[in-house]
Amino acid sequence: MSNLTQIALDDVRALSIKILKNVGYGDDHARAIAEMLYTCQLDDCQSHGLFRLLMCVQTMRDGKISGHAKPALKDSDTAVLHVDARDGMSLLAVDIAMPKLIEKTKANGIAALAVNKCFHFSALWPEVERLSAAGLAAIAMVPSHSWVAPAGGKRGSLGTNPIAFSWPRHDKNPFTFDFATSGFARGEIELYKRAGKQLPDGVALDKQGNPTTDPQAALDGAMLPFGSYKGSALSIMVELLAGPLIDDMISLESMEYAAGQAGAPYHGQIIIAFDPAHFNGGKPVENNERAERLFADIIEQGARLPSQRRFEARARNLERGFVEIPTVLYDDLHALLN
Ligand code: NDP
Ligand code: PYC
């Protein structure tokens, strides 16, 4: 028997909405969360696709999130836009702010969205790709919980702190990357644990500060940044830009706020968008060619662009009309309907 179960594409959203509403999310939040889960699962992003329904459910059970919060958009006469998620999941707040962020970026050349007071569980690439689909380049960042030791340290100070970037390309998928600044995302370690697999070396320390490849020891101990002091510094930058800069929590505070509860971290998020039309010296064609020359040079060497695996997965899953998830996860999700 296969250890994978197929789910028809239409059923991914429907199953998500049913589970989310069952546990207490209102219609608008359930729809926004389900759309993110569908988008990630369609691209075979296993750590932040349907698997994250477990975290969304846990977050509601923890009792601090509002499943009916109405995000409040606060415009200004500067290039900075704020949206207060009012203790809801981040996604509805970002949905509500996105048209205004695009409008402000096109007017000013650059604009930033600060999302405050949100619970956050999701991948960032779908959000920066909404901006590149509008012809903009964009960067997004969030802290999380202080699970990650700084390079040279032994205990968690930093979040897994992903950075996502997307660059628009004519008639092609955008250039996008999106990764945790820890060696592994927390979700990836959880998937290793569920699959009974050992981690590679260099990803985590146990509670005593010794290197470990055991996923549970890693979850109990401290994760490590990617690329030693370089990843560590990038992670600190994420803490600063998506924390104190926007009057919101650092990962240490998010962890304290959770007080041992296992749901999604609670903090802020920053998204910065750039309109090439304001920067490219009136030479869009030449500058697009320059970017394309770089991409071609990378591909010609046999290297791949980030997100290529994702785009291939999307094409395959759209063609066959279903996604596959581990049967154990499928069973865990169905148990949430009872
Ligand atoms: P991965 O390590 O899976 O992938 C990182 C990026 O690198 C992807 O864009 C991927 O493209 C690309 N990539 C992978 N292998 C190669 C390669 N050989 N050559 C070129 N590019 C490559 O990401 P993470 O596990 O670190 O993060 C997964 C997700 O978790 C992210 O979407 C992130 O936003 C999310 N996350 C969310 C957090 C939160 O607090 N909300 C915290 C941490 C992570 P491809 O997809 O095509 O393989
Ligand atoms: O995978 O590191 C992670 C993560 C943290 C919050 C949501 N996902």
Side-chain angles (χ1 to χ4, degrees), residues 42-43 45 125 129 176 307-315:
L42 180 64
D43 285 13
C45 294
W125 65 261
E129 285 195 352
T176 306
S307 299
Q308 184 187 314
R309 174 206 61 81
R310 225 167 31 72
F311 297 137
E312 287 167 5
R314 184 186 306 172

Side-chain angles (χ1 to χ4, degrees), residues 263-328:
Y266 176 74
H267 46 69
Q269 173 176 2
I270 189 162
I271 305 178
I272 306 162
F274 310 82
D275 184 354
H278 289 252
F279 289 91
N280 62 19
K283 292 177 276 186
V285 175
E286 292 91 322
N287 283 297
N288 279 329
E289 282 172 1
R290 215 172 238 155
E292 292 303 321
R293 178 183 168 200
L294 172 61
F295 300 141
D297 197 61
I298 291 165
I299 293 164
E300 273 164 27
Q301 299 176 46
R304 77 154 163 104
L305 296 180
S307 299
Q308 184 187 314
R309 174 206 61 81
R310 225 167 31 72
F311 297 137
E312 287 167 5
R314 184 186 306 172
R316 184 175 60 249
N317 290 336
L318 283 171
E319 166 89 27
R320 64 189 188 176
F322 63 83
V323 293
E324 288 179 322
I325 64 168
T327 300
V328 181

